[in-house]
Amino acid sequence: MDRWPAETIWEQVSPLLSGFTVEVLPEIDSTNSELMRRARAGQTAPTLLVAERQTAGRGRLGRPWQGQPGDSLTFSLSLPLRPRDWSGLSLAVGLSVAESLHPAIGLKWPNDLWWQDRKLAGILIEAATSGPHSQVVVGIGINIRPCPATGLSTPPASLCELWPQASAGAALARLTLPLVTALQGFVMTGFAPLQQRYAARDVLLGRELSTSDGQTGQGLGVSVTGALRLRQPAGERLIDSAEVSVRPQCP
Ligand code: BTN
């Protein structure tokens, strides 16, 4: 198992986030679930929680998230955050992680990281809001090395295909400080200034797409608020529901 770069990350991030802590646990149900439990109990200190193994990892849309110890990086970052406009937050997170890890990593709306049309990483963002306070939990799972077949129709991608020396610890060390900086930047400016950088990695741009709620159309990129733009015979349609998933149609 990796030696985790907890101290280095703490030294980098503490000047930006007062009270920041880094925790590495051998096992927990889900790093997102744990940080959401803490947030609801009023524990709002900025925390990076890494789990070597999750027994009940969660993905978007109620799906499970599986990862083998050592072969995947699973962590969540919890911090107080109150952006003026939340739209596009998950895209901003995906963009930051992709840019930190490799120039060739693509982004699949709303917040998956893809490599050669296969999923490399997923992001689950949750928020606990109480009065004026809002705590955001950003959970990220990255495949580092190929895992045994998981029953998925397309086998996932893994970071070591692009970065042969990749390890969970090295990936975490690369991405944490830029992620914190990106989140703080998002509070100030929202998604709009990131639109062009997102477009440069958008794997759905120009492709024929179908959505889980039965729509089809050509991907036209994302709007200034991070909504997916779909060209349909009747005109352009914006999709911004977190409940919708989207796929390129088979070539
Ligand atoms: C998705 O692609 O559906 C999102 C996957 C998010 C998985 C990460 S792993 C760390 C954190 N803890 C969880 O239970 N989920 C997120």
Side-chain angles (χ1 to χ4, degrees):
M1 187 63 66
D2 264 351
R3 235 183 76 78
W4 293 98
E7 210 168 304
T8 309
I9 292 173
W10 184 84
E11 282 167 3
Q12 291 173 340
V13 172
S14 288
L16 299 182
L17 286 179
S18 136
F20 178 66
T21 59
V22 181
E23 286 177 52
V24 180
L25 298 178
E27 182 174 299
I28 196 157
D29 56 349
S30 148
T31 53
N32 261 51
S33 299
E34 172 62 13
L35 291 181
M36 286 297 285
R37 285 190 290 265
R38 293 186 195 179
R40 291 188 189 110
Q43 296 173 39
T44 55
T47 304
L48 178 71
L49 180 62
V50 184
E52 290 177 342
R53 187 175 131 83
Q54 293 188 124
T55 55
R58 295 186 290 114
R60 284 182 66 237
L61 308 171
R63 297 176 184 139
W65 180 266
Q66 283 154 358
Q68 296 296 315
D71 291 342
S72 67
L73 169 61
T74 49
F75 71 96
S76 302
L77 173 69
S78 172
L79 72 171
L81 210 67
R82 206 168 174 82
R84 253 171 288 159
D85 182 0
W86 291 87
S87 47
L89 174 62
S90 66
L91 284 72
V93 169
L95 177 64
S96 169
V97 175
E99 288 184 341
S100 295
L101 293 180
H102 198 278
I105 294 176
L107 292 164
K108 179 193 159 265
W109 188 90
N111 50 8
D112 285 351
L113 274 61
W114 270 24
W115 159 245
Q116 294 185 338
D117 268 7
R118 291 172 296 137
K119 182 159 172 167
L120 173 70
I123 295 164
L124 176 67
I125 300 184
E126 299 176 293
T129 307
S130 140
H133 186 87
S134 73
Q135 187 82 4
V136 170
V137 175
V138 176
I140 301 180
I142 303 175
N143 306 318
I144 303 292
R145 281 182 283 270
C147 332
T150 50
L152 299 173
S153 51
T154 313
S158 50
L159 191 58
C160 67
E161 294 175 64
L162 299 127
W163 171 14
Q165 305 310 319
S167 67
L172 188 68
R174 269 200 197 180
L175 68 81
T176 305
L177 178 63
L179 176 60
V180 170
T181 308
L183 288 165
Q184 293 183 330
F186 182 87
V187 171
M188 308 300 293
T189 64
F191 178 72
L194 308 176
Q195 190 186 19
Q196 292 309 315
R197 277 159 55 200
Y198 189 95
R201 291 176 185 259
D202 186 347
V203 300
L204 301 182
L205 194 57
R207 293 173 76 173
E208 287 304 317
L209 309 177
S210 51
T211 70
S212 56
D213 62 354
Q215 301 181 62
T216 56
Q218 187 188 33
L220 295 177
V222 300
S223 73
V224 283
T225 58
L228 179 69
R229 299 173 56 211
L230 209 57
R231 176 184 285 144
Q232 296 185 318
E236 185 177 322
R237 185 175 197 121
L238 287 178
I239 299 181
D240 59 6
S241 166
E243 303 307 314
V244 174
S245 65
V246 58
R247 293 224 136 249
Q249 291 176 359
C250 294

